[in-house]
Amino acid sequence: MTAASTEPVAGEPVAGEPMTGESLLGEAVNGLPADFVWGAATSAYQIEGAAAEDGRAPSVWDTFSHTPGAVAGGDHGDVACDHYHRMPEDVGLLAGLGLDAYRFSVSWPRVQPGGKGPVNARGLAFYDRLVDELLDKGITPWATLYHWDLPQELEDAGGWPVRDTAYRFAEYAGIVADALGDRVTDWITLNEPYCSAMLGYYQGVHAPGRTSFPDFTKAAHHLLLGHGLAARQVRERAARPPRVGITFNPVVAQPASDAPEDVEAARRADAVGTRIYLDPVVHGRYPEDLLADLAPYDALPPVEDGDLETIAQPLDFLGVNYYFRNVVKPSDEPHGYRSVQQTDRPSTAMPWEIYPEGMTSLLTRLTREYGDLPLYITENGAAFDDTASPVDASGRIQDADRIAFLADHLAAVGRARAAGADVRGYFCWSLLDNFEWAYGYAKRFGLVHVDYATQRRTPKASALWLRDAARACRAGDGGAPVPVE
Ligand code: IFM
């Protein structure tokens, strides 16, 4: 079954009525204000392709994905969605869906191939054109500076466990701010440092595929230091007053039972998955219980004088990525927990448990513990087996499961707002089906189906549903958030 016979018209409203989900609209946007930001998100390595074009050099993900056995199906990002060549068409899709904002990431090895030294003007020019194209279509660009594609040369010099990488990142951030800061005002320094540090340097399932626990904490600390240094650079060098934030994917940990060892495993997961990032960035300190957990493994973060002040730069907003919760039990591994699959619960194709309640509890917890920062959902979405969904006469995938997922999670955002969380926008992951890291192309998160053989794009029913949700939201007003009791 294919789903590729509809030709989307770039820049024109995407025609068609969602076949499912209309009844979900009201509940989904209830509690969201008329000025709520509606967007979609992507990242450079997952969609751009053109891996060796116009002076781009390899990143850790080029190396990792070409390592036999590292990625399902031997997939890699050499071509991906060919977005590098099809960018105007893809911006047209965003415009057709009537979205307010687009969150993309800038590829460091495209802009500064060696991770230091000369700027690659041809690479930088791509983002210049992208920003202009977005603004021309009335779409606000949200630029993420780092979404995991560390230049391979820097990894060869030690990668994120080495302090110098943080300074190299700040230099690169300044270059991008110089080039785009006259038009981009919304900046995200890092995407999900948890994944770069934990999955990349300790669990070895993401690039660069290393497996040292002390390297994980060194990487985490230097990523945060890089965030603070980069935030300063953006503020100093962007021509228009910027809003600077960082995106985390906090671990939403719940004990598998009331047993003290499960409760302790949940504390460990929260410390090493959530507070290790949020506490230094927001409060300027590492949590005491985390430091006690790390000490026996010779894995204390390598903090130098002034680091915590640098890391705790003022934030204009916090980006929150939420997909699922982690129900945990203890493990003997240094991070102290393992996740237990909830086999009796609905899940996506990953298979990640579908648990919208976790969105509400996460957002209200962030508000309680980290203050009244504006929050944006910078990613939420789902991979489903779209080949199992019906396809209508025009070739459009009727992905009712994805619509239900989005509706339930948006309603959960509304409930968090009602409980006092200042959530101001929602970016769906993802605009396009794309390279899902170690899962390759087998997992499809897109609002828009991509036929990788032809590169034809076809909006799924969920894309039209999100368009309609945004419209319904703009037409009403769910009201201002009320303070937490
Ligand atoms: O595809 C990823 C994205 O790059 C980061 N956040 C989670 C998404 C789904 O796994």
Side-chain angles (χ1 to χ4, degrees):
M1 182 160 54
T2 62
S5 56
T6 324
E7 200 69 66
V9 183
E12 294 296 321
V14 175
E17 289 306 317
M19 302 291 284
T20 58
E22 270 169 69
S23 59
L24 301 174
L25 274 182
E27 202 192 326
V29 304
N30 183 26
L32 305 181
D35 63 354
F36 196 69
V37 174
W38 292 84
T42 63
S43 90
Y45 190 72
Q46 292 179 272
I47 65 167
E48 284 180 3
E53 262 179 72
D54 289 344
R56 181 186 181 277
S59 74
V60 290
W61 268 99
D62 295 83
T63 308
F64 187 73
S65 62
H66 282 277
T67 304
V71 172
D75 292 345
H76 48 69
D78 287 7
V79 176
C81 304
D82 197 30
H83 171 74
Y84 191 72
H85 299 115
R86 296 164 193 266
M87 178 271 286
E89 178 189 354
D90 292 339
V91 173
L93 284 165
L94 284 161
L97 295 174
L99 295 177
D100 304 311
Y102 175 54
R103 174 176 176 239
F104 61 93
S105 82
V106 178
S107 161
W108 188 351
R110 206 181 276 297
V111 166
Q112 199 186 24
K116 60 183 173 199
V119 176
N120 176 31
R122 286 179 298 167
L124 198 50
F126 171 72
Y127 300 102
D128 209 53
R129 293 196 299 276
L130 169 61
V131 167
D132 282 347
E133 190 76 27
L134 289 165
L135 292 174
D136 186 55
K137 297 280 187 300
I139 299 165
T140 304
W142 282 56
T144 299
L145 288 164
Y146 186 71
H147 198 124
W148 312 349
D149 44 358
L150 183 70
Q152 182 62 41
E153 269 191 47
L154 290 186
E155 175 58 21
D156 295 343
W160 284 108
V162 168
R163 190 175 173 87
D164 186 57
T165 304
Y167 292 91
R168 300 285 65 79
F169 178 59
E171 181 185 53
Y172 149 76
I175 292 166
V176 181
D178 281 345
L180 307 182
D182 57 338
R183 288 154 291 155
V184 172
T185 52
D186 294 289
W187 297 86
I188 293 170
T189 54
L190 303 177
N191 180 70
E192 300 180 353
Y194 165 92
C195 294
S196 310
M198 175 72 94
L199 305 185
Y201 286 95
Y202 168 47
Q203 296 185 333
V205 294
H206 274 197
R210 286 159 64 176
T211 53
S212 152
F213 192 64
D215 279 350
F216 148 64
T217 45
K218 287 181 197 151
H221 181 70
H222 295 141
L223 280 154
L224 296 183
L225 183 62
H227 151 76
L229 295 165
R232 276 190 189 141
Q233 285 295 305
V234 172
R235 289 200 168 107
E236 276 171 33
R237 291 166 67 165
R240 291 181 63 186
R243 299 199 319 143
V244 182
I246 181 170
T247 281
F248 294 120
N249 57 332
V251 171
V252 176
Q254 295 178 359
S257 76
D258 293 338
E261 60 272 22
D262 290 350
V263 173
E264 169 65 0
R267 181 200 63 73
R268 295 278 302 266
D270 185 56
V272 80
T274 296
R275 289 182 286 122
I276 188 175
Y277 303 107
L278 273 146
D279 281 24
V281 164
V282 179
H283 297 319
R285 58 170 187 264
Y286 282 106
E288 289 300 324
D289 63 321
L290 169 77
L291 298 178
D293 294 341
L294 298 176
Y297 299 98
D298 201 16
L300 290 175
V303 181
E304 296 192 7
D305 279 355
D307 282 5
L308 289 164
E309 290 73 22
T310 302
I311 288 170
Q313 292 303 300
L315 292 177
D316 294 303
F317 63 89
L318 195 62
V320 181
N321 293 356
Y322 174 74
Y323 290 91
F324 58 93
R325 69 169 166 172
N326 280 70
V327 177
V328 300
K329 292 190 87 57
S331 98
D332 292 336
E333 292 180 76
H335 63 303
Y337 72 95
R338 67 187 168 85
S339 299
V340 186
Q341 185 74 34
Q342 301 302 288
T343 47
D344 56 339
R345 298 262 317 159
S347 64
T348 67
M350 295 305 280
W352 293 342
E353 183 191 351
I354 301 174
Y355 190 69
E357 300 89 328
M359 173 76 94
T360 310
S361 64
L362 171 61
L363 295 168
T364 51
R365 183 239 176 139
L366 291 174
T367 302
R368 252 192 336 270
E369 295 183 18
Y370 297 101
D372 55 1
L373 275 172
L375 304 174
Y376 290 86
I377 307 305
T378 41
E379 287 181 28
N380 173 246
F384 285 108
D385 178 8
D386 289 332
T387 61
S389 298
V391 176
D392 72 12
S394 67
R396 190 179 309 293
I397 292 175
Q398 297 299 315
D399 53 343
D401 37 16
R402 187 172 287 101
I403 291 172
F405 183 99
L406 299 180
D408 288 345
H409 285 76
L410 281 160
V413 171
R415 284 193 288 278
R417 280 181 54 86
D422 185 8
V423 192
R424 299 190 183 179
Y426 176 96
F427 292 77
C428 183
W429 185 269
S430 180
L431 174 65
L432 303 170
D433 289 336
N434 61 47
F435 176 75
E436 177 51 26
W437 307 113
Y439 297 88
Y441 294 98
K443 305 296 180 195
R444 291 176 175 269
F445 276 87
L447 292 166
V448 175
H449 177 269
V450 177
D451 178 338
Y452 294 112
T454 62
Q455 292 293 348
R456 180 174 287 195
R457 277 84 159 125
T458 309
K460 302 173 192 176
S462 56
L464 307 191
W465 184 88
L466 195 69
R467 171 202 67 185
D468 292 350
R471 275 185 196 157
C473 179
R474 289 182 200 114
D477 190 335
V482 291
V484 181
E485 290 298 310

